[in-house]
């Protein structure tokens, strides 16, 4: 089984990816390879951030690597929070503050104006080649939190596909079957299996 690094310290993302990729690959985290530094995410696009993180691991640690970046893009907010999704509330990775800001900015908007989508970009750097894979899921931003599962904005995002539940109300398997990350990873895995 081939080792491949997923350039993340996010335990939620790592668990999702290991579940999706199953036994096909031995997915290592940044901690597994001794990378404890905070890799900069200063690019203006999610694709750029994904590429920068993968390139950092390849250059500094020598492993084949893939990295992702995800953005929630809300139409009524001009595509925000987008590339700033993880730190939209002012503090990096504070999901509750991020959600609070979105709900405050959208307060009073009717459901038909609450359209949004999640987009994930994955950059794979393997054997000197670089490949990008994208996944997207459309949905709506709810007026309040629903569900205790998932992470990030999952409790306020209801995908158009499904039975009306938010990502936070779904099991991991249910979410992965239709999620932006699940779709991007499926494209990554399909490519890896063809190699």
């Amino acid at each position: 089984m081939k080792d491949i690094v997923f350039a993340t310290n996010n335990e939620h993302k790592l668990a999702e990816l290991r579940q999706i990729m199953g036994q096909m690959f031995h997915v290592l985290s940044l901690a597994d390879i001794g990378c404890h530094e905070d890799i900069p995410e200063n690019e203006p696009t999610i694709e750029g951030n994904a590429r920068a993180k993968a390139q950092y691991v390849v250059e500094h640690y020598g492993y084949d690597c893939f990295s992702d970046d995800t953005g929630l893009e809300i139409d009524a907010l001009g595509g925000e929070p987008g590339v700033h999704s993880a730190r939209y509330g002012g503090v990096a990775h504070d999901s509750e503050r991020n959600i609070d800001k979105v709900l405050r900015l959208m307060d009073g908007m009717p459901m038909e104006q609450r359209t949004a989508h999640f987009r994930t970009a994955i950059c794979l750097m393997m054997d000197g080649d670089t490949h990008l894979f994208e996944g997207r899921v459309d949905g709506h931003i709810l007026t309040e939190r629903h569900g205790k599962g998932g992470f990030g904005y999952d409790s306020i995002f209801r995908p158009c596909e499904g039975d009306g539940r938010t990502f936070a109300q779904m099991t991991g398997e249910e979410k992965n079957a239709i999620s932006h990350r699940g779709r991007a990873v499926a494209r990554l895995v399909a490519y890896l299996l063809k190699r």
Side-chain angles (χ1 to χ4, degrees):
M1 188 182 304
K2 184 173 177 61
D3 285 349
I4 190 166
V5 174
F6 177 27
T8 189
N9 284 315
N10 183 317
E11 290 299 321
H12 297 291
K13 283 186 181 182
L14 186 62
E16 272 190 10
L17 263 291
R18 285 178 170 158
Q19 184 177 38
I20 293 168
M21 295 180 78
Q23 300 301 313
M24 294 178 286
F25 302 94
H26 185 224
V27 180
L28 302 171
S29 68
L30 291 175
D32 291 333
I33 63 168
C35 178
H36 301 288
E37 52 266 43
D38 195 15
I39 300 173
E41 296 182 49
N42 301 323
E43 299 298 320
T45 65
I46 64 171
E47 294 85 358
N49 279 336
R51 183 180 292 110
K53 289 185 285 185
Q55 187 168 350
Y56 185 94
V57 171
V58 170
E59 289 178 356
H60 290 83
Y61 293 89
Y63 282 89
D64 288 335
C65 179
F66 68 94
S67 178
D68 82 325
D69 198 28
T70 294
L72 172 64
E73 299 174 346
I74 301 171
D75 296 320
L77 300 181
E80 288 187 1
V83 73
H84 305 293
S85 292
R87 52 197 174 278
Y88 197 51
V91 178
H93 307 293
D94 186 334
S95 296
E96 295 308 308
R97 286 181 66 171
N98 293 339
I99 290 172
D100 287 343
K101 181 174 180 179
V102 166
L103 293 178
R104 185 174 66 253
L105 291 173
M106 300 186 75
D107 187 42
M109 285 187 189
M111 193 55 64
E112 61 268 17
Q113 293 178 14
R114 302 176 78 90
T115 54
H117 59 269
F118 270 117
R119 200 162 57 85
T120 291
I122 294 178
C123 179
L124 170 69
M125 291 190 173
M126 178 177 276
D127 302 328
D129 294 326
T130 301
H131 303 275
L132 283 171
F133 308 92
E134 186 177 310
R136 173 181 165 139
V137 61
D138 295 312
H140 290 85
I141 301 300
L142 301 184
T143 58
E144 59 186 22
R145 294 166 174 84
H146 294 273
K148 301 292 185 189
F151 62 99
Y153 297 91
D154 285 356
S155 65
I156 60 169
F157 183 82
R158 182 179 65 204
C160 292
E161 299 170 51
D163 56 9
R165 291 179 294 160
T166 66
F167 276 157
Q169 293 173 299
M170 297 178 184
T171 66
E173 292 84 2
E174 290 170 330
K175 178 185 172 184
N176 289 339
I178 62 171
S179 78
H180 46 296
R181 186 169 295 108
R183 289 172 174 167
V185 171
R187 292 181 175 113
L188 166 70
V189 169
Y191 171 78
L192 290 171
L193 288 174
K194 284 195 306 187
R195 284 177 63 93

